[in-house]
């Protein structure tokens, strides 16, 4: 099963996160399938590769709670077809 989750990057006390598609059995810093976004909580900046995120969501990937909140805030779920909107 594939999840969309945060992968920690950056230096000590200055964390930034990549949003990655990764197998659930992998650890947080493990090998990811694909990088699909970026999140900087300090500067409150986000970047999403929306077509790739939608592709993974349509294939059954489950976002973690934090990633789901970020995607809702960016209104990415509005671009899913109506029958795929199970994250509201």
């Amino acid at each position: 099963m594939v999840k969309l989750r945060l992968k920690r990057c950056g230096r000590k006390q200055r964390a930034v996160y990549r949003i990655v598609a990764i197998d659930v059995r992998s650890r947080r810093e493990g090998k990811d399938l694909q990088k699909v976004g970026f999140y900087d909580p300090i500067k409150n900046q986000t970047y999403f590769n929306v077509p790739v995120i939608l592709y993974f969501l349509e294939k059954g990937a489950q976002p973690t709670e934090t990633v789901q909140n970020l995607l809702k805030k960016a209104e990415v779920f509005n671009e899913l077809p109506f029958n795929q909107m199970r994250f509201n």
Side-chain angles (χ1 to χ4, degrees):
M1 181 176 173
V2 176
K3 279 201 174 242
L4 298 176
R5 67 182 183 199
L6 298 174
K7 185 175 184 179
R8 191 175 195 275
C9 302
R11 62 179 197 238
K12 190 168 35 171
Q13 301 295 319
R14 184 83 173 99
V16 294
Y17 297 91
R18 286 190 181 132
I19 301 167
V20 296
I22 194 167
D23 186 40
V24 288
R25 296 169 290 188
S26 298
R27 58 178 202 241
R28 181 185 72 180
E29 306 304 326
K31 179 122 173 86
D32 51 76
L33 300 173
Q34 190 167 6
K35 296 172 183 70
V36 296
F38 176 82
Y39 173 57
D40 185 351
I42 296 171
K43 294 181 181 178
N44 201 17
Q45 294 178 334
T46 56
Y47 165 76
F48 299 112
N49 189 346
V50 177
V52 176
I53 290 173
L54 292 176
Y55 169 78
F56 279 110
L57 290 174
E58 288 170 359
K59 295 297 180 186
Q62 297 292 314
T64 60
E65 187 177 337
T66 306
V67 173
Q68 184 174 344
N69 291 338
L70 290 172
L71 294 175
K72 277 184 185 176
K73 193 181 289 188
E75 299 179 352
V76 172
F77 291 124
N78 294 342
E79 299 180 28
L80 278 173
F82 184 75
N83 60 355
Q84 295 285 328
M85 294 185 63
R86 61 183 181 271
F87 301 107
N88 290 335

